[in-house]
């Protein structure tokens, strides 16, 4: 087993994930959109294709968004996330590259060709290879049971955030990583593009498995308190502000050798102006850009993501407020459709996570 090279989910966010503001129905411009190796597969299975971040991807299938969401929580669902860039970092200085990009010891890896060239120009041994693989996410409480039927490896020995290369339902060279973006147990399978349809078809033969699209993926990740990059966090958000301080490696905290250390370390000691918090309310659902107000009616923050929770039958959201308003149980107001309604700061995840760890 080895630590996953792409461990973005472990940090609480994913790149290029779903947001209603980022997709639109396909139009005459659909021919210029990039397609995953499963594009025709989606059409055959009733996928409603939308334009998302330059790709044509299914927002849902024949089942409703809510049905797909709940099926994932109770059984397991298969997601095509092949739009997410997969890279391989090689060379004796690969760790130096990664630690020049992230705050952890070896944590989230963002593709950055310019940084590779910079280190190469310094005489460092480092290279970046973009993989021509599809990426399938099998998520839900029965995911491991379904996958075990198609692999020789014992998945009980593959805990959360570890990975191994194995043959999966006859497709060799697959990297299986115990991770995901739903809060449930599950895996992401990096599969050679030529074998993607075969693998997806084999997984769907099990009645536990249904296809799910971007809509369910977004509500699942929000219930799990996971961030959407570019919406809930971006390059201007620190880990402390984003409630992601646990991503900071202890060694690097002491050395202060990570990007942004001069700003972030003082924040760890309590000098932070705002924090990402969870919010719950009844009534109209909170959406991105909804103003957050204190009980006196003064605007103090903004919702970054929000939706009705299919699991809880309540409205959930996340957003940023000044530190003094971030304690769970704090009563606030949110403006939705020009009307103010009560909200309460809530702990995240809203729905308990079920990651598989060795006991």
């Amino acid at each position: 087993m080895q630590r996953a090279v792409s461990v973005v989910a472990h940090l609480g966010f994913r790149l290029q994930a779903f947001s209603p503001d980022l997709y639109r129905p396909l139009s005459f411009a659909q021919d210029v959109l990039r397609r995953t190796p499963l594009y025709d597969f989606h059409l055959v299975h009733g996928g409603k294709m939308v334009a998302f971040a330059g790709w044509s991807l299914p927002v849902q299938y024949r089942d409703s968004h809510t049905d797909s969401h709940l099926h994932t929580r109770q059984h397991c669902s298969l997601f095509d996330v092949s739009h997410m860039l997969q890279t391989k970092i090689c060379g004796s200085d690969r760790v130096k590259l990664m630690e020049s990009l992230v705050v952890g010891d070896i944590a989230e890896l963002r593709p950055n060709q310019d940084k590779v060239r910079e280190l190469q120009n310094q005489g460092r041994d480092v290279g970046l290879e973009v993989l021509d693989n599809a990426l399938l996410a099998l998520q839900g409480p029965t995911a491991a049971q379904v996958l075990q039927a198609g692999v020789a490896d014992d998945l009980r020995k593959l805990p959360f955030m570890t990975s191994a290369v194995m043959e999966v339902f006859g497709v060799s060279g697959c990297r299986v990583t115990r991770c995901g973006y739903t809060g449930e147990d599950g895996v992401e399978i990096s599969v050679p593009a030529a074998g993607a349809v075969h693998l997806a078809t084999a997984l769907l033969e099990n009645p536990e498995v249904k296809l799910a699209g971007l809509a369910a993926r977004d509500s699942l990740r929000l219930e799990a308190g996971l961030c959407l990059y570019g919406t809930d966090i971006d390059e201007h958000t620190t880990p402390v502000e984003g409630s992601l301080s646990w991503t900071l490696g202890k060694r690097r905290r002491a050395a202060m050798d990570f990007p942004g250390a001069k700003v972030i370390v003082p924040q760890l000691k309590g000098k932070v102006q705002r924090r990402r918090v969870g919010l719950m309310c009844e009534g109209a659902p909170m959406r991105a850009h909804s103003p957050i107000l204190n009980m006196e009616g003064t605007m103090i923050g903004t919702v970054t993501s929000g939706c009705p929770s299919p699991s809880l039958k309540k409205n959930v959201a996340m957003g940023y407020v000044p530190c003094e308003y971030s304690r769970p149980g704090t009563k606030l107001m949110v403006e939705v459709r020009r009307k103010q309604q009560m909200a309460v700061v809530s702990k995240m995840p809203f729905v308990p996570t079920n990651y598989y760890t060795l006991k």
Side-chain angles (χ1 to χ4, degrees), residues 313-334:
K313 303 297 189 288
K314 295 181 179 180
N315 300 316
V316 299
M318 62 177 72
Y320 286 84
V321 298
C323 194
E324 59 266 31
Y325 294 97
S326 63
R327 184 181 297 275
T330 301
K331 293 182 179 180
L332 300 171
M333 292 188 291
V334 178

Side-chain angles (χ1 to χ4, degrees), residues 216-235:
R217 185 170 163 81
D218 190 56
S219 55
L220 288 160
R221 69 92 186 169
L222 186 49
E223 286 186 347
L226 301 175
C227 294
L228 170 65
Y229 189 86
T231 299
D232 303 306
I233 56 174
D234 57 27
E235 61 185 4

Side-chain angles (χ1 to χ4, degrees), residues 197-212:
V197 171
H198 171 85
L199 178 54
T201 301
L203 290 168
L204 277 182
E205 289 179 357
N206 191 312
E208 281 290 308
V209 184
K210 288 188 176 183
L211 293 168

